[in-house]
Amino acid sequence: MSVITLENIKKTYYLGDNTVNALRDVTLNVEEGEFVAITGPSGSGKSTLMHILGCLDRPTSGKYMLNGNDVSGLPMEALAEIRNRQIGFVFQGFNLLPRTTATENVEVPLLYSRPVLTSAERKDMALSALSSMGLADRVDHHPSQLSGGQQQRVAIARALVNNPAIILADEPTGNLDTKTSIEVMKLLQELRKEKGITIILITHEPEIAAYGTRIISMRDGLVVSDEANTPREDFDETRTAYKAEPVVAAAAVE
Amino acid sequence: MFTMLPVNLRLATRSLSRNPMRTLLTMLGIIIGVAAVLTMVALGTGARGTVEDEVASAGTNIVFVKSGNYTRGGDSVGIAAGRGAATTLIEADANAILDNIAGIRAVSPGLSLRTFISSNGENVFTRVLGIAVEFSDIYSWNMTSGRMLAPGAANEAVIGSTLAQTMFGGNAVGQEVELRGNTYTIVGITDSAIDDQPEILFVPWQTLQQSMDISHLDSITIAAEKAGETSRISGEVSVLLRARHGIESRDDVNFLAAQSGGGVEPDDFTVETQAAQALTKGLYTPAAAFALANLPKLDEVTLDEMANTLDRASNTMTALLASIAGVSLIVGGIGIMNIMLVSITERTREIGLRMATGARSADVAMQFLIEAVTLSVIGGCIGLILGLLSAKVIGWSLGWPASVSLTAMAMAIGIAATIGLIFGSYPARRASLLDPIDALRTE
Ligand SMILES: Nc1ncnc2c1ncn2[C@@H]1O[C@H](COP(=O)(O)OP(=O)(O)O)[C@@H](O)[C@H]1O
Ligand SMILES: [Mg+2]
């Protein structure tokens, strides 16, 4: 079954007299359980596409079917509910709330669930999401007390906690060193395999894109290639020298 | 919407406790505003309460004539120095008042004395009042035991309830007390609670006058037939007594001017209504005495007029406090708005994240609105405590009772919450209108 169907999606930004065609004409179909890696140079429209897929933004024209429902014309309030139920976001900068425990960070999406959850239910769900990310012993830690990899795993737990159909990850390894990046990719692969969650991963690094089951390349707001891929299964960092310098983990939300 | 309340409250208190100093400074306006509101209400209702109490307890139909006048002692400088002594008030004046002035129910001559009285060899210092039998009618006495003085009986006494208790353990009727060489038999205990009457020994004024070897009176107590006539009666009493005492009658309006020129002979008596007496009680300072002595007609003021004056005074105070309160509340509100805008700028990414994970605009607005209201309500609570303290202090220094009802306290907190709502709504709306993509991109 198609989880995502995009038909002739266009997104145009108007900046004064200039118009920017961030997405020119994107047509795309994503099946349940796919791990789609979207690559392309900076400015090619990857993030714009992800915002539309994540219902954070609406296309200028075109049709977006999510789980069989046309969501391209829905009002923002309705999109908020779709984001809450069907979509989990993982960001490059983690976007965890500072001075807030891992559990409470993971609870954030649950605060906006309908029907309303009790605080006990929220806590249970957050704790089980955290332990599925191997963070059972870090539930009361604040982001500043966690490593970059642990912070990103808290963020993934937060994306998972509502049992979404899709996880959208925009450069999730951008702030992580090689070893941790591989760990995160391994976690995403497991989610796909074990829970059948559809994953859309945006990255400009081919080595990271190689973990997907399908690789889409974009350029100037268009899909220029779309190929099935045998996902890379080796998690041995010594064989991947694509990033020599560990990047300092970005601070949490300030 | 309200199911989010506990969560929002927790978020709010956490966010506010993160910057305690900033939070406190932001609340300052609200604190001062609420404290001023509360002080205002406390003193306002306190002042009104005083007037109402006096109306209730004193009635409005009694006029006092007292021997002497404030202006006597301070003639040379034109400043009152206390009620001057005079020995010109006599029984014939009392009879003349009763005979010549219409609308009078009863008159009682009076002699007042502070002295030792003895009973069963025990001396007690107390107040003694020489009265006529009409006195019980003037004050509508009931006797808790025994009876009122009998007409013509020279050596009977009536005792106030408190004094009866302290001297005789309540069993005063039949006891004998000695005073200035005379022995009086107590025939009754009065239940009166007016003024100092529970602590007074009442004896026939003629007997007291003889034993003191004087021929004048200290006072004449007059009961009007109808309440509300005291003003007219006191005016007529003044005219009558001036005539009887050979004092040039005068135009009240020109009185002050004439007196400061020293050209007019001052009165040797003072006419006061019960109202004026009751209301100036506790405000008795040289300045008040001066004002009482020198303001035309003030001695004849009715309870209504006095109540109005006190109301006006408390209205002035109320207006002052109200403007302080108004200004501080607005300043406080703007402070809250400002700090909420700062907070929203600082937390733009948090807002973006909440929106990305499903928060609707209304959820975001509610979060910040509750934070603003929490801020203002905490400020309101601090202001409440401060206001109660300041009402106590001001009330105490002015001799005004300061009463704060639960309603007033609830109102103060309500005002604080309203300020938070009003001034928090703009920042909350700003937060709710943020674009999640832009918000997430903010550094
Ligand atoms: N809010 C916006 N307003 C105007 N132009 C935008 C906006 N967002 C993105 N763009 C433009 O759209 C194009 C695609 O951007 P983006 O989707 O962020 O690319 P990528 O994520 O692949 O780097 C770029 O030229 C970018 O400048
Ligand atoms: Mg991008």
Side-chain angles (χ1 to χ4, degrees), chain A residues 51 57 77 80 83-84 89 91 95 97 99-100 104 111-112 114 116 122 158 253-254, chain B residues 4 7 10 14 18 346 349-350 353-361 363 437 440:
Chain A
H51 293 147
D57 205 351
E77 295 296 291
R83 290 197 295 272
N84 183 252
F89 289 97
F91 306 94
N95 278 330
L97 304 183
R99 292 168 290 244
T100 303
E104 285 173 311
L111 296 176
Y112 307 108
R114 294 292 180 278
V116 174
R122 290 197 302 265
R158 180 180 63 197
V253 183
E254 281 297 344
Chain B
M4 285 285 286
V7 174
R10 196 149 39 87
R14 181 177 308 169
R18 214 155 267 169
E346 287 171 348
R349 282 226 288 175
E350 171 187 334
L353 174 87
R354 288 181 184 278
M355 287 177 154
T357 57
R360 276 146 290 232
S361 300
D363 294 322
I437 299 168
L440 279 167

mmCIF file of all heavy atoms in Angstrom, chain A residues 51 57 77 80 83-84 89 91 95 97 99-100 104 111-112 114 116 122 158 253-254, chain B residues 4 7 10 14 18 346 349-350 353-361 363 437 440:
data_model
loop_
_atom_site.group_PDB
_atom_site.id
_atom_site.type_symbol
_atom_site.label_atom_id
_atom_site.label_comp_id
_atom_site.label_asym_id
_atom_site.label_seq_id
_atom_site.Cartn_x
_atom_site.Cartn_y
_atom_site.Cartn_z
ATOM 1 N N HIS A 51 9.246 19.290 4.378
ATOM 2 C CA HIS A 51 8.218 20.079 5.073
ATOM 3 C C HIS A 51 6.827 19.770 4.536
ATOM 4 O O HIS A 51 5.863 19.695 5.295
ATOM 5 C CB HIS A 51 8.513 21.581 4.932
ATOM 6 C CG HIS A 51 9.761 21.990 5.648
ATOM 7 N ND1 HIS A 51 10.586 23.006 5.197
ATOM 8 C CD2 HIS A 51 10.355 21.495 6.764
ATOM 9 C CE1 HIS A 51 11.609 23.126 6.021
ATOM 10 N NE2 HIS A 51 11.494 22.219 6.976
ATOM 11 N N ASP A 57 4.007 22.295 5.872
ATOM 12 C CA ASP A 57 3.800 23.304 4.848
ATOM 13 C C ASP A 57 2.883 22.700 3.789
ATOM 14 O O ASP A 57 2.739 21.472 3.719
ATOM 15 C CB ASP A 57 5.162 23.695 4.239
ATOM 16 C CG ASP A 57 5.117 25.089 3.653
ATOM 17 O OD1 ASP A 57 4.017 25.671 3.568
ATOM 18 O OD2 ASP A 57 6.198 25.588 3.286
ATOM 19 N N GLU A 77 -4.787 23.657 11.196
ATOM 20 C CA GLU A 77 -5.216 22.975 12.421
ATOM 21 C C GLU A 77 -5.332 21.468 12.187
ATOM 22 O O GLU A 77 -4.932 20.665 13.016
ATOM 23 C CB GLU A 77 -6.561 23.519 12.901
ATOM 24 C CG GLU A 77 -6.528 24.971 13.321
ATOM 25 C CD GLU A 77 -5.628 25.199 14.523
ATOM 26 O OE1 GLU A 77 -5.978 24.749 15.624
ATOM 27 O OE2 GLU A 77 -4.557 25.814 14.359
ATOM 28 N N ALA A 80 -1.958 19.900 11.953
ATOM 29 C CA ALA A 80 -1.325 19.698 13.262
ATOM 30 C C ALA A 80 -1.698 18.324 13.807
ATOM 31 O O ALA A 80 -0.860 17.593 14.343
ATOM 32 C CB ALA A 80 -1.753 20.799 14.227
ATOM 33 N N ARG A 83 0.186 15.629 11.879
ATOM 34 C CA ARG A 83 1.582 15.558 12.335
ATOM 35 C C ARG A 83 1.664 14.786 13.641
ATOM 36 O O ARG A 83 2.552 13.974 13.862
ATOM 37 C CB ARG A 83 2.147 16.970 12.566
ATOM 38 C CG ARG A 83 2.364 17.775 11.317
ATOM 39 C CD ARG A 83 3.284 18.955 11.582
ATOM 40 N NE ARG A 83 2.731 19.949 12.498
ATOM 41 C CZ ARG A 83 1.969 20.969 12.121
ATOM 42 N NH1 ARG A 83 1.668 21.131 10.840
ATOM 43 N NH2 ARG A 83 1.527 21.829 13.023
ATOM 44 N N ASN A 84 0.690 15.067 14.510
ATOM 45 C CA ASN A 84 0.715 14.439 15.817
ATOM 46 C C ASN A 84 0.539 12.926 15.727
ATOM 47 O O ASN A 84 1.217 12.165 16.418
ATOM 48 C CB ASN A 84 -0.379 15.046 16.697
ATOM 49 C CG ASN A 84 -0.380 14.498 18.098
ATOM 50 O OD1 ASN A 84 -1.252 13.740 18.483
ATOM 51 N ND2 ASN A 84 0.651 14.868 18.858
ATOM 52 N N PHE A 89 9.192 13.453 13.579
ATOM 53 C CA PHE A 89 10.323 14.205 13.020
ATOM 54 C C PHE A 89 11.600 13.932 13.791
ATOM 55 O O PHE A 89 11.598 13.859 15.019
ATOM 56 C CB PHE A 89 10.052 15.712 13.105
ATOM 57 C CG PHE A 89 8.990 16.193 12.151
ATOM 58 C CD1 PHE A 89 7.685 16.362 12.578
ATOM 59 C CD2 PHE A 89 9.318 16.490 10.836
ATOM 60 C CE1 PHE A 89 6.709 16.815 11.709
ATOM 61 C CE2 PHE A 89 8.346 16.942 9.956
ATOM 62 C CZ PHE A 89 7.032 17.104 10.391
ATOM 63 N N PHE A 91 15.386 15.761 13.805
ATOM 64 C CA PHE A 91 16.070 16.928 13.245
ATOM 65 C C PHE A 91 17.575 16.796 13.382
ATOM 66 O O PHE A 91 18.088 16.081 14.239
ATOM 67 C CB PHE A 91 15.625 18.203 13.960
ATOM 68 C CG PHE A 91 14.133 18.393 13.968
ATOM 69 C CD1 PHE A 91 13.366 17.948 15.043
ATOM 70 C CD2 PHE A 91 13.497 19.003 12.908
ATOM 71 C CE1 PHE A 91 11.998 18.121 15.053
ATOM 72 C CE2 PHE A 91 12.125 19.183 12.915
ATOM 73 C CZ PHE A 91 11.369 18.735 13.988
ATOM 74 N N ASN A 95 16.727 19.277 18.660
ATOM 75 C CA ASN A 95 15.572 20.040 19.150
ATOM 76 C C ASN A 95 14.946 19.449 20.403
ATOM 77 O O ASN A 95 13.731 19.329 20.521
ATOM 78 C CB ASN A 95 14.501 20.174 18.059
ATOM 79 C CG ASN A 95 14.813 21.306 17.102
ATOM 80 O OD1 ASN A 95 15.430 22.292 17.505
ATOM 81 N ND2 ASN A 95 14.436 21.155 15.859
ATOM 82 N N LEU A 97 14.122 19.886 24.434
ATOM 83 C CA LEU A 97 13.937 21.011 25.352
ATOM 84 C C LEU A 97 15.021 20.953 26.419
ATOM 85 O O LEU A 97 15.239 19.907 27.024
ATOM 86 C CB LEU A 97 12.560 20.955 26.019
ATOM 87 C CG LEU A 97 11.365 20.915 25.083
ATOM 88 C CD1 LEU A 97 10.070 20.941 25.884
ATOM 89 C CD2 LEU A 97 11.402 22.076 24.113
ATOM 90 N N ARG A 99 17.031 21.574 30.001
ATOM 91 C CA ARG A 99 16.636 21.498 31.415
ATOM 92 C C ARG A 99 15.323 20.747 31.594
ATOM 93 O O ARG A 99 14.482 21.091 32.419
ATOM 94 C CB ARG A 99 16.531 22.913 32.010
ATOM 95 C CG ARG A 99 17.871 23.615 32.116
ATOM 96 C CD ARG A 99 17.708 25.079 32.420
ATOM 97 N NE ARG A 99 17.160 25.779 31.283
ATOM 98 C CZ ARG A 99 17.797 26.727 30.596
ATOM 99 N NH1 ARG A 99 18.992 27.098 30.957
ATOM 100 N NH2 ARG A 99 17.237 27.303 29.554
ATOM 101 N N THR A 100 15.143 19.748 30.759
ATOM 102 C CA THR A 100 13.922 18.949 30.796
ATOM 103 C C THR A 100 14.372 17.506 30.631
ATOM 104 O O THR A 100 15.240 17.227 29.795
ATOM 105 C CB THR A 100 13.006 19.360 29.621
ATOM 106 O OG1 THR A 100 12.742 20.756 29.728
ATOM 107 C CG2 THR A 100 11.701 18.606 29.638
ATOM 108 N N GLU A 104 10.361 13.625 29.806
ATOM 109 C CA GLU A 104 9.446 14.723 29.497
ATOM 110 C C GLU A 104 9.598 15.192 28.056
ATOM 111 O O GLU A 104 8.630 15.608 27.422
ATOM 112 C CB GLU A 104 9.675 15.879 30.465
ATOM 113 C CG GLU A 104 9.094 15.568 31.835
ATOM 114 C CD GLU A 104 9.445 16.612 32.863
ATOM 115 O OE1 GLU A 104 10.640 16.969 32.977
ATOM 116 O OE2 GLU A 104 8.526 17.081 33.543
ATOM 117 N N LEU A 111 1.406 15.226 24.697
ATOM 118 C CA LEU A 111 0.618 16.294 25.308
ATOM 119 C C LEU A 111 -0.496 16.751 24.380
ATOM 120 O O LEU A 111 -1.511 17.268 24.825
ATOM 121 C CB LEU A 111 1.512 17.502 25.618
ATOM 122 C CG LEU A 111 2.612 17.306 26.643
ATOM 123 C CD1 LEU A 111 3.446 18.574 26.753
ATOM 124 C CD2 LEU A 111 2.012 16.961 27.993
ATOM 125 N N TYR A 112 -0.274 16.576 23.063
ATOM 126 C CA TYR A 112 -1.237 17.103 22.108
ATOM 127 C C TYR A 112 -2.086 15.995 21.490
ATOM 128 O O TYR A 112 -2.782 16.216 20.510
ATOM 129 C CB TYR A 112 -0.483 17.907 21.043
ATOM 130 C CG TYR A 112 0.416 18.941 21.682
ATOM 131 C CD1 TYR A 112 1.801 18.806 21.680
ATOM 132 C CD2 TYR A 112 -0.140 20.032 22.344
ATOM 133 C CE1 TYR A 112 2.606 19.730 22.305
ATOM 134 C CE2 TYR A 112 0.659 20.960 22.978
ATOM 135 C CZ TYR A 112 2.038 20.808 22.962
ATOM 136 O OH TYR A 112 2.826 21.721 23.593
ATOM 137 N N ARG A 114 -5.122 13.430 20.914
ATOM 138 C CA ARG A 114 -6.561 13.385 21.142
ATOM 139 C C ARG A 114 -7.002 11.961 20.868
ATOM 140 O O ARG A 114 -6.655 11.424 19.818
ATOM 141 C CB ARG A 114 -7.305 14.342 20.215
ATOM 142 C CG ARG A 114 -7.002 15.801 20.468
ATOM 143 C CD ARG A 114 -7.559 16.254 21.823
ATOM 144 N NE ARG A 114 -7.274 17.662 22.081
ATOM 145 C CZ ARG A 114 -6.101 18.117 22.554
ATOM 146 N NH1 ARG A 114 -5.127 17.273 22.824
ATOM 147 N NH2 ARG A 114 -5.923 19.393 22.761
ATOM 148 N N VAL A 116 -7.297 12.820 24.990
ATOM 149 C CA VAL A 116 -6.259 13.233 25.928
ATOM 150 C C VAL A 116 -5.741 12.033 26.725
ATOM 151 O O VAL A 116 -6.510 11.161 27.125
ATOM 152 C CB VAL A 116 -6.849 14.288 26.879
ATOM 153 C CG1 VAL A 116 -5.851 14.650 27.960
ATOM 154 C CG2 VAL A 116 -7.250 15.519 26.090
ATOM 155 N N ARG A 122 1.068 8.870 29.577
ATOM 156 C CA ARG A 122 2.147 9.544 28.845
ATOM 157 C C ARG A 122 3.505 9.033 29.315
ATOM 158 O O ARG A 122 4.397 8.750 28.531
ATOM 159 C CB ARG A 122 2.080 11.063 29.065
ATOM 160 C CG ARG A 122 0.900 11.743 28.403
ATOM 161 C CD ARG A 122 1.131 13.235 28.302
ATOM 162 N NE ARG A 122 1.372 13.881 29.581
ATOM 163 C CZ ARG A 122 0.420 14.471 30.304
ATOM 164 N NH1 ARG A 122 -0.819 14.507 29.871
ATOM 165 N NH2 ARG A 122 0.716 15.028 31.460
ATOM 166 N N ARG A 158 11.199 10.256 20.781
ATOM 167 C CA ARG A 158 10.104 11.228 20.719
ATOM 168 C C ARG A 158 9.335 11.094 19.396
ATOM 169 O O ARG A 158 8.107 11.186 19.374
ATOM 170 C CB ARG A 158 10.671 12.646 20.856
ATOM 171 C CG ARG A 158 9.617 13.734 20.809
ATOM 172 C CD ARG A 158 10.236 15.103 20.951
ATOM 173 N NE ARG A 158 11.135 15.380 19.855
ATOM 174 C CZ ARG A 158 12.058 16.351 19.856
ATOM 175 N NH1 ARG A 158 12.209 17.121 20.923
ATOM 176 N NH2 ARG A 158 12.833 16.532 18.822
ATOM 177 N N VAL A 253 17.858 22.759 22.164
ATOM 178 C CA VAL A 253 17.095 23.996 21.961
ATOM 179 C C VAL A 253 17.412 24.987 23.071
ATOM 180 O O VAL A 253 17.358 24.636 24.238
ATOM 181 C CB VAL A 253 15.584 23.692 21.994
ATOM 182 C CG1 VAL A 253 14.797 24.958 21.712
ATOM 183 C CG2 VAL A 253 15.252 22.621 20.999
ATOM 184 N N GLU A 254 17.764 26.171 22.681
ATOM 185 C CA GLU A 254 17.982 27.171 23.731
ATOM 186 C C GLU A 254 16.944 28.257 23.628
ATOM 187 O O GLU A 254 16.525 28.627 22.565
ATOM 188 C CB GLU A 254 19.383 27.790 23.607
ATOM 189 C CG GLU A 254 20.473 26.894 24.169
ATOM 190 C CD GLU A 254 20.344 26.623 25.679
ATOM 191 O OE1 GLU A 254 19.608 27.344 26.358
ATOM 192 O OE2 GLU A 254 20.964 25.674 26.160
ATOM 193 N N MET B 4 -5.307 20.354 29.656
ATOM 194 C CA MET B 4 -3.894 20.689 29.547
ATOM 195 C C MET B 4 -3.423 21.533 30.724
ATOM 196 O O MET B 4 -2.246 21.818 30.857
ATOM 197 C CB MET B 4 -3.650 21.477 28.254
ATOM 198 C CG MET B 4 -3.668 20.648 27.005
ATOM 199 S SD MET B 4 -2.164 19.684 26.859
ATOM 200 C CE MET B 4 -1.002 20.967 26.394
ATOM 201 N N VAL B 7 -0.481 20.425 32.978
ATOM 202 C CA VAL B 7 0.763 20.427 32.207
ATOM 203 C C VAL B 7 1.233 21.857 31.985
ATOM 204 O O VAL B 7 2.387 22.197 32.220
ATOM 205 C CB VAL B 7 0.547 19.740 30.840
ATOM 206 C CG1 VAL B 7 1.793 19.870 29.992
ATOM 207 C CG2 VAL B 7 0.153 18.303 31.030
ATOM 208 N N ARG B 10 2.627 23.408 35.045
ATOM 209 C CA ARG B 10 3.967 22.922 35.353
ATOM 210 C C ARG B 10 4.988 23.588 34.426
ATOM 211 O O ARG B 10 6.045 24.042 34.858
ATOM 212 C CB ARG B 10 4.012 21.401 35.205
ATOM 213 C CG ARG B 10 5.209 20.761 35.848
ATOM 214 C CD ARG B 10 4.894 19.352 36.343
ATOM 215 N NE ARG B 10 4.035 18.637 35.406
ATOM 216 C CZ ARG B 10 4.482 17.936 34.370
ATOM 217 N NH1 ARG B 10 5.770 17.848 34.148
ATOM 218 N NH2 ARG B 10 3.645 17.310 33.574
ATOM 219 N N ARG B 14 7.908 26.120 35.745
ATOM 220 C CA ARG B 14 9.293 25.795 35.430
ATOM 221 C C ARG B 14 9.960 26.945 34.679
ATOM 222 O O ARG B 14 11.062 27.360 35.017
ATOM 223 C CB ARG B 14 9.353 24.521 34.593
ATOM 224 C CG ARG B 14 10.784 24.128 34.274
ATOM 225 C CD ARG B 14 10.832 22.851 33.507
ATOM 226 N NE ARG B 14 10.064 21.788 34.172
ATOM 227 C CZ ARG B 14 9.789 20.636 33.583
ATOM 228 N NH1 ARG B 14 10.191 20.404 32.352
ATOM 229 N NH2 ARG B 14 9.114 19.705 34.218
ATOM 230 N N ARG B 18 13.025 29.522 36.202
ATOM 231 C CA ARG B 18 14.333 29.480 35.564
ATOM 232 C C ARG B 18 15.063 30.812 35.714
ATOM 233 O O ARG B 18 16.270 30.876 35.764
ATOM 234 C CB ARG B 18 14.130 29.161 34.080
ATOM 235 C CG ARG B 18 15.207 28.341 33.486
ATOM 236 C CD ARG B 18 14.673 27.590 32.291
ATOM 237 N NE ARG B 18 14.196 26.266 32.652
ATOM 238 C CZ ARG B 18 13.489 25.494 31.838
ATOM 239 N NH1 ARG B 18 13.146 25.925 30.639
ATOM 240 N NH2 ARG B 18 13.123 24.297 32.218
ATOM 241 N N GLU B 346 13.022 33.852 22.993
ATOM 242 C CA GLU B 346 14.023 32.892 23.454
ATOM 243 C C GLU B 346 13.607 31.451 23.159
ATOM 244 O O GLU B 346 14.456 30.576 23.023
ATOM 245 C CB GLU B 346 14.216 33.019 24.973
ATOM 246 C CG GLU B 346 14.948 34.248 25.402
ATOM 247 C CD GLU B 346 14.918 34.417 26.919
ATOM 248 O OE1 GLU B 346 14.140 33.695 27.594
ATOM 249 O OE2 GLU B 346 15.657 35.251 27.418
ATOM 250 N N ARG B 349 12.316 28.109 19.047
ATOM 251 C CA ARG B 349 12.515 26.732 18.578
ATOM 252 C C ARG B 349 11.661 25.744 19.342
ATOM 253 O O ARG B 349 11.154 24.778 18.773
ATOM 254 C CB ARG B 349 13.997 26.362 18.696
ATOM 255 C CG ARG B 349 14.799 26.983 17.553
ATOM 256 C CD ARG B 349 15.723 25.996 16.938
ATOM 257 N NE ARG B 349 16.837 25.675 17.803
ATOM 258 C CZ ARG B 349 17.740 24.737 17.509
ATOM 259 N NH1 ARG B 349 17.632 24.043 16.376
ATOM 260 N NH2 ARG B 349 18.730 24.492 18.329
ATOM 261 N N GLU B 350 11.489 26.017 20.641
ATOM 262 C CA GLU B 350 10.602 25.141 21.424
ATOM 263 C C GLU B 350 9.186 25.191 20.843
ATOM 264 O O GLU B 350 8.519 24.152 20.712
ATOM 265 C CB GLU B 350 10.573 25.594 22.893
ATOM 266 C CG GLU B 350 9.518 24.858 23.702
ATOM 267 C CD GLU B 350 9.341 25.392 25.120
ATOM 268 O OE1 GLU B 350 10.302 25.973 25.674
ATOM 269 O OE2 GLU B 350 8.231 25.217 25.665
ATOM 270 N N LEU B 353 9.074 23.253 17.689
ATOM 271 C CA LEU B 353 9.072 21.820 17.952
ATOM 272 C C LEU B 353 7.693 21.339 18.402
ATOM 273 O O LEU B 353 7.189 20.309 17.951
ATOM 274 C CB LEU B 353 10.101 21.485 19.037
ATOM 275 C CG LEU B 353 9.988 20.014 19.417
ATOM 276 C CD1 LEU B 353 10.832 19.173 18.500
ATOM 277 C CD2 LEU B 353 10.280 19.776 20.863
ATOM 278 N N ARG B 354 7.084 22.115 19.305
ATOM 279 C CA ARG B 354 5.748 21.726 19.783
ATOM 280 C C ARG B 354 4.761 21.683 18.625
ATOM 281 O O ARG B 354 3.935 20.777 18.527
ATOM 282 C CB ARG B 354 5.268 22.705 20.861
ATOM 283 C CG ARG B 354 6.028 22.540 22.171
ATOM 284 C CD ARG B 354 5.546 23.478 23.253
ATOM 285 N NE ARG B 354 6.366 23.345 24.447
ATOM 286 C CZ ARG B 354 6.206 22.399 25.367
ATOM 287 N NH1 ARG B 354 5.236 21.520 25.223
ATOM 288 N NH2 ARG B 354 7.011 22.317 26.400
ATOM 289 N N MET B 355 4.868 22.668 17.738
ATOM 290 C CA MET B 355 3.954 22.676 16.593
ATOM 291 C C MET B 355 4.223 21.484 15.680
ATOM 292 O O MET B 355 3.286 20.842 15.192
ATOM 293 C CB MET B 355 4.110 23.980 15.821
ATOM 294 C CG MET B 355 3.502 25.167 16.558
ATOM 295 S SD MET B 355 3.783 26.700 15.666
ATOM 296 C CE MET B 355 2.399 27.674 16.265
ATOM 297 N N ALA B 356 5.493 21.183 15.442
ATOM 298 C CA ALA B 356 5.833 20.059 14.568
ATOM 299 C C ALA B 356 5.301 18.750 15.131
ATOM 300 O O ALA B 356 4.917 17.845 14.390
ATOM 301 C CB ALA B 356 7.344 19.980 14.379
ATOM 302 N N THR B 357 5.251 18.643 16.464
ATOM 303 C CA THR B 357 4.796 17.387 17.052
ATOM 304 C C THR B 357 3.294 17.388 17.308
ATOM 305 O O THR B 357 2.788 16.491 17.968
ATOM 306 C CB THR B 357 5.531 17.080 18.362
ATOM 307 O OG1 THR B 357 5.331 18.173 19.248
ATOM 308 C CG2 THR B 357 7.012 16.864 18.139
ATOM 309 N N GLY B 358 2.595 18.418 16.836
ATOM 310 C CA GLY B 358 1.137 18.340 16.881
ATOM 311 C C GLY B 358 0.429 19.425 17.660
ATOM 312 O O GLY B 358 -0.794 19.400 17.740
ATOM 313 N N ALA B 359 1.174 20.368 18.253
ATOM 314 C CA ALA B 359 0.490 21.436 18.980
ATOM 315 C C ALA B 359 -0.245 22.328 17.993
ATOM 316 O O ALA B 359 0.324 22.736 16.989
ATOM 317 C CB ALA B 359 1.497 22.255 19.776
ATOM 318 N N ARG B 360 -1.522 22.593 18.278
ATOM 319 C CA ARG B 360 -2.276 23.549 17.467
ATOM 320 C C ARG B 360 -1.939 24.957 17.933
ATOM 321 O O ARG B 360 -1.412 25.158 19.037
ATOM 322 C CB ARG B 360 -3.777 23.319 17.642
ATOM 323 C CG ARG B 360 -4.336 22.236 16.745
ATOM 324 C CD ARG B 360 -5.441 21.521 17.458
ATOM 325 N NE ARG B 360 -4.825 20.750 18.541
ATOM 326 C CZ ARG B 360 -5.050 19.457 18.715
ATOM 327 N NH1 ARG B 360 -5.880 18.820 17.945
ATOM 328 N NH2 ARG B 360 -4.447 18.806 19.689
ATOM 329 N N SER B 361 -2.317 25.925 17.120
ATOM 330 C CA SER B 361 -2.117 27.323 17.505
ATOM 331 C C SER B 361 -2.723 27.587 18.878
ATOM 332 O O SER B 361 -2.121 28.242 19.729
ATOM 333 C CB SER B 361 -2.776 28.252 16.487
ATOM 334 O OG SER B 361 -2.215 28.051 15.233
ATOM 335 N N ASP B 363 -3.160 25.534 21.311
ATOM 336 C CA ASP B 363 -2.362 24.931 22.388
ATOM 337 C C ASP B 363 -1.206 25.844 22.768
ATOM 338 O O ASP B 363 -0.897 26.043 23.947
ATOM 339 C CB ASP B 363 -1.810 23.571 21.944
ATOM 340 C CG ASP B 363 -2.915 22.544 21.734
ATOM 341 O OD1 ASP B 363 -3.876 22.548 22.513
ATOM 342 O OD2 ASP B 363 -2.795 21.743 20.782
ATOM 343 N N ILE B 437 8.007 26.052 10.563
ATOM 344 C CA ILE B 437 9.274 25.874 9.836
ATOM 345 C C ILE B 437 10.260 26.967 10.217
ATOM 346 O O ILE B 437 11.406 26.693 10.572
ATOM 347 C CB ILE B 437 9.020 25.880 8.312
ATOM 348 C CG1 ILE B 437 8.092 24.719 7.936
ATOM 349 C CG2 ILE B 437 10.336 25.781 7.548
ATOM 350 C CD1 ILE B 437 7.561 24.812 6.517
ATOM 351 N N LEU B 440 11.441 26.512 13.808
ATOM 352 C CA LEU B 440 12.429 25.443 13.989
ATOM 353 C C LEU B 440 13.801 25.859 13.461
ATOM 354 O O LEU B 440 14.823 25.356 13.917
ATOM 355 C CB LEU B 440 11.970 24.175 13.264
ATOM 356 C CG LEU B 440 10.950 23.344 14.021
ATOM 357 C CD1 LEU B 440 10.333 22.300 13.114
ATOM 358 C CD2 LEU B 440 11.613 22.678 15.232
#
